[in-house]
Amino acid sequence: VEKGSVMTKVVFVQEELRTRFGIMYLSAVLKEAGHITDVFISDETDNLVDEIIASKPDLVAFSSMTPGYDFALNTARDLKAARNSQ
């Protein structure tokens, strides 16, 4: 990372533990550019929203196909509501 450049923390959110090549590729490119990435998996945590907020991300991204649309939408709404209540 060049001096004076801005690092962004990007958090990817998945519903279940499954290989997501899109997240893997995007994460690799972001890390190569000097950014920080993390992945949160709903099935692997008791309180997904609180853990995501505690990590202080600059950007939250979802990888979703049609069956996971409701999960992504509801989680995004929950994150927004939790951030607005702080």
Side-chain angles (χ1 to χ4, degrees):
V1 178
E2 292 181 27
K3 187 175 181 179
S5 64
V6 177
M7 256 193 312
T8 301
K9 182 170 186 179
V10 180
V11 166
F12 294 96
V13 182
Q14 297 180 207
E15 185 172 8
E16 72 283 329
L17 181 58
R18 177 176 289 175
T19 302
R20 300 275 187 191
F21 289 106
I23 288 175
M24 292 167 60
Y25 294 142
L26 290 170
S27 181
V29 170
L30 288 165
K31 286 180 178 179
E32 192 172 285
H35 301 288
I36 301 165
T37 66
D38 204 351
V39 177
F40 287 85
I41 301 168
S42 178
D43 287 350
E44 301 293 313
T45 183
D46 291 329
N47 200 333
L48 180 66
V49 170
D50 287 344
E51 288 185 24
I52 292 170
I53 290 172
S55 75
K56 300 184 186 309
D58 297 302
L59 178 69
V60 178
F62 295 86
S63 175
S64 181
M65 294 171 56
T66 302
Y69 174 78
D70 287 336
F71 165 78
L73 182 62
N74 291 331
T75 303
R77 285 179 178 155
D78 292 346
L79 281 165
K80 183 177 180 180
R83 293 280 306 237
N84 289 340
S85 70
Q86 291 184 343

